[in-house]
Amino acid sequence: MNAILKGFSFVVYGVEKAVAHICSLLFSIMIVSVFSEIVLRSLFRASLIWSSELATYCFMWLTFLGSAIGVLRMTHLTADLLYKWVPEGHIVGKILEWFQLVLIAILGWVFVKYGIVFVEKGMSRMSYALGIPTGYNMMLIVVTGVLYMLNAVYLLIVKLIGWENGHD
């Protein structure tokens, strides 16, 4: 592995670590928001108008960012049926992995391209309870698209170099 790939690997796994910390923070905020809503409703028969919207936004970001981590860790959904027909280590299995990663990178590009449109349109609409432009929440599509492309390209490069060197 040359210096450029080591640097790329450092960036990719650094971003993954940062995203994992952000997911932990979002999960904590979501839990506190829902818990405070439950306590207020149960004890005081009062409600926070913004808590469910905040929890929903945190859940959305958590789901999308978590899926980007899943791409890097290769834990996303795959068509297992195709892999079961191919013997382990066979070239067809490697081609299927590459094809899958190319599709994920393309999906990331689609997320970025059309996510920007959603963000621009969402900046003119305000969320009901939090009173912030919905475009901020729609940025999760663009961020996830960038992470999908970053992770898929990294894995494609690693698999290509690993295959050329005789190991995976």
Side-chain angles (χ1 to χ4, degrees), residues 3-163:
I4 294 172
L5 188 56
K6 283 184 181 180
F8 192 28
S9 178
F10 180 77
V11 168
V12 167
Y13 284 102
V15 168
E16 181 209 18
K17 190 173 185 177
V19 168
H21 287 303
I22 291 168
C23 286
S24 297
L25 178 65
L26 289 169
F27 185 72
S28 300
I29 292 169
M30 184 176 67
I31 294 299
V32 168
S33 174
V34 170
F35 181 74
S36 63
E37 178 68 20
I38 291 169
V39 168
L40 282 172
R41 281 189 184 188
S42 299
L43 297 179
F44 303 108
R45 299 202 188 274
S47 180
L48 298 171
I49 194 168
W50 51 266
S51 68
S52 63
E53 189 171 293
L54 177 63
T56 301
Y57 282 4
C58 287
F59 181 72
M60 291 168 64
W61 275 89
L62 186 63
T63 303
F64 275 73
L65 293 176
S67 71
I69 291 173
V71 168
L72 182 62
R73 296 180 183 178
M74 297 288 291
T75 57
H76 52 279
L77 294 175
T78 59
D80 282 344
L81 184 60
L82 294 174
Y83 288 107
K84 289 180 182 179
W85 289 342
V86 178
E88 191 172 333
H90 196 270
I91 190 169
V92 174
K94 291 180 185 292
I95 291 170
L96 286 173
E97 281 183 347
W98 289 354
F99 182 68
Q100 177 181 349
L101 290 169
V102 168
L103 286 178
I104 291 170
I106 291 170
L107 177 65
W109 177 80
V110 169
F111 274 21
V112 171
K113 181 178 180 186
Y114 294 104
I116 291 170
V117 174
F118 279 114
V119 170
E120 289 172 348
K121 290 183 179 184
M123 286 302 186
S124 62
R125 290 186 307 236
M126 302 300 272
S127 69
Y128 174 72
L130 293 174
I132 60 173
T134 58
Y136 289 130
N137 190 47
M138 293 177 189
M139 280 185 195
L140 70 92
I141 300 168
V142 177
V143 171
T144 303
V146 169
L147 292 173
Y148 278 7
M149 288 188 296
L150 177 75
N151 292 340
V153 167
Y154 171 74
L155 289 173
L156 280 167
I157 292 170
V158 166
K159 289 187 177 296
L160 181 65
I161 289 174
W163 188 16

